[in-house]
Amino acid sequence: MVALAALNKPHAGTSMAARLNNMEHHRALRAHLHAAAQSLDEARTTLHTPAPSRPPSPSANPSGPDGTPHPMPHPGETTITNRIRRLDLLAQADRLQQLGSDFDTLKNDISNLTAHPGSELLEQLTPKITQTHRLTGRTLERLTELGTSQYAAVPGSSASLAALSSVVESASMAAASLASAIAANPLDTTDEADHKARQSSAAPRQAELLTEATRFLDLSVTGCHFVAGGILRNLRAHPAHMPLLPQLTDAQYTALEKIGQDGTRVIRSLRGDRQTVRAGDGSTIHAKPFAVLAENRLIRVPLRGTSLVLDVTVTAAGQLILDMHKPARTPTSAPPKAKPAAAAATGHRR
């Protein structure tokens, strides 16, 4: 805050161009600090739910073991309850996978920035900082929901929750590195010689900060995928916490196995009235088992849009079935009866 205040004080001998440059820096920093403050407000709202303001009743104030009533909270005071959320843990794992993919996309976008220091780089970095704050907020939502749900009671979940907390930290550090790159960014001035000198001195520092941001984002990618896989590992290791999964026929399970090997695509006709599902090995997956898998959310098909080729992947629920469940195989005909050992060995006697 001292640095921001100093930008408003013109120093003796400072040129008008330099003052304008400081003012541009000031505006940019204020915008990014405002975005960070909004993210913090959303996080506080998510993490703390104020108690409803209604008069206490005797039944709402149970007594302790010695018969002494528990102290009542003051009006407006935030209370912490032991209410456990019942979540679809497999859907949470899918959201974490998607969150990791979004972190990865942002990381690649920042790695591919080609702008030189100046106003062009400012324009390119501004939306990236905003996206980083949004992803940090989404990570906080996942952490809050999982940490207050039945997942916290699953043995081994503490490691996943700790890893997700680290993702919040690494994402925040990435945003801080990008903000530092903004602070080190020299904006365009009318003094061409001064501008070029400042650009050349700022370029190495900005490159270092952008590389640092991508490294933190890469840690966020790894953390999200680790936690998503950790949910499945914990459920497999402790079946008592396993959610109900649909029973599949032979054809449905075979189709799920093929899709789980990657490379499966939905190919639509130019008119859009027909589609073919091709597995990674080139075989065709029939429409009926494919529709059942999609209906039970065991596979993920992107929104159609205008693309004629859509990649199909297995969801967390589908992966859990592949890991733990076998199809309910029913024999098509009765097995042949074995011949008596004696008759098979000696033949008939007269």
Side-chain angles (χ1 to χ4, degrees):
M1 296 303 295
V2 176
L4 289 177
L7 293 176
N8 288 326
K9 298 180 180 179
H11 298 282
T14 304
S15 66
M16 180 60 68
R19 293 180 186 177
L20 290 174
N21 185 38
N22 285 339
M23 291 174 64
E24 292 295 332
H25 273 298
H26 192 183
R27 292 192 189 99
L29 287 173
R30 285 178 64 88
H32 300 309
L33 289 174
H34 179 68
Q38 284 184 326
S39 297
L40 288 174
D41 289 339
E42 293 174 359
R44 293 189 187 102
T45 302
T46 303
L47 290 172
H48 300 289
T49 302
S53 56
R54 59 171 179 258
S57 62
S59 60
N61 187 24
S63 301
D66 58 352
T68 303
H70 293 305
M72 295 298 299
H74 296 289
E77 181 182 353
T78 300
T79 60
I80 301 176
T81 65
N82 293 326
R83 185 176 62 182
I84 301 298
R85 306 187 193 193
R86 302 300 301 181
L87 296 180
D88 183 346
L89 295 180
L90 299 179
Q92 291 289 323
D94 286 332
R95 292 191 184 106
L96 284 166
Q97 288 284 6
Q98 183 60 53
L99 183 59
S101 298
D102 293 342
F103 270 121
D104 193 46
T105 299
L106 178 60
K107 179 197 72 173
N108 293 332
D109 289 344
I110 294 175
S111 299
N112 294 329
L113 289 179
T114 58
H116 296 291
S119 57
E120 183 182 2
L121 183 61
L122 176 62
E123 292 177 357
Q124 293 189 13
L125 280 183
T126 298
K128 306 307 178 191
I129 294 179
T130 303
Q131 292 173 29
T132 308
H133 285 307
R134 288 174 180 169
L135 293 178
T136 304
R138 286 169 56 189
T139 307
L140 279 169
E141 291 175 2
R142 300 280 73 76
L143 177 62
T144 303
E145 290 186 355
L146 286 171
T148 57
S149 72
Q150 77 273 23
Y151 180 62
V154 179
S157 62
S158 58
S160 295
L161 294 175
L164 196 53
S165 299
S166 298
V167 174
V168 174
E169 181 182 20
S170 60
S172 300
M173 295 297 291
S177 297
L178 295 176
S180 297
I182 291 290
N185 183 51
L187 298 180
D188 300 336
T189 63
T190 55
D191 189 341
E192 188 67 22
D194 175 69
H195 179 60
K196 288 184 177 179
R198 294 172 63 209
Q199 272 190 328
S200 60
S201 62
R205 175 57 178 160
Q206 285 184 315
E208 177 185 350
L209 289 169
L210 294 182
T211 300
E212 185 178 78
T214 58
R215 186 166 61 250
F216 285 127
L217 291 174
D218 189 60
L219 290 174
S220 301
V221 174
T222 302
C224 287
H225 292 317
F226 172 81
V227 177
I231 293 176
L232 299 187
R233 288 191 296 271
N234 298 147
L235 294 178
R236 286 196 302 267
H238 305 280
H241 299 275
M242 184 76 64
L244 293 177
L245 296 172
Q247 290 291 326
L248 302 182
T249 64
D250 287 0
Q252 294 162 3
Y253 189 85
T254 300
L256 185 62
E257 280 185 317
K258 288 185 176 182
I259 296 173
Q261 295 170 2
D262 295 333
T264 299
R265 293 181 174 181
V266 174
I267 303 171
R268 295 189 295 161
S269 64
L270 291 175
R271 294 181 180 179
D273 56 348
R274 292 187 305 172
Q275 68 179 26
T276 304
V277 183
R278 296 284 185 186
D281 59 4
S283 61
T284 301
I285 297 177
H286 294 291
K288 286 186 177 181
F290 184 83
V292 171
L293 297 178
E295 182 180 353
N296 286 279
R297 298 181 181 179
L298 303 180
I299 58 175
R300 185 184 301 106
V301 184
L303 296 176
R304 292 200 170 194
T306 58
S307 177
L308 297 178
V309 180
L310 305 173
D311 292 327
V312 183
T313 55
V314 173
T315 63
Q319 188 60 53
L320 200 56
I321 287 180
L322 290 176
D323 292 343
M324 298 194 64
H325 289 253
K326 297 297 181 183
R329 301 182 184 275
T330 55
T332 56
S333 60
K337 295 182 179 180
K339 294 181 179 181
T346 61
H348 296 283
R349 291 184 180 177
R350 292 188 179 180

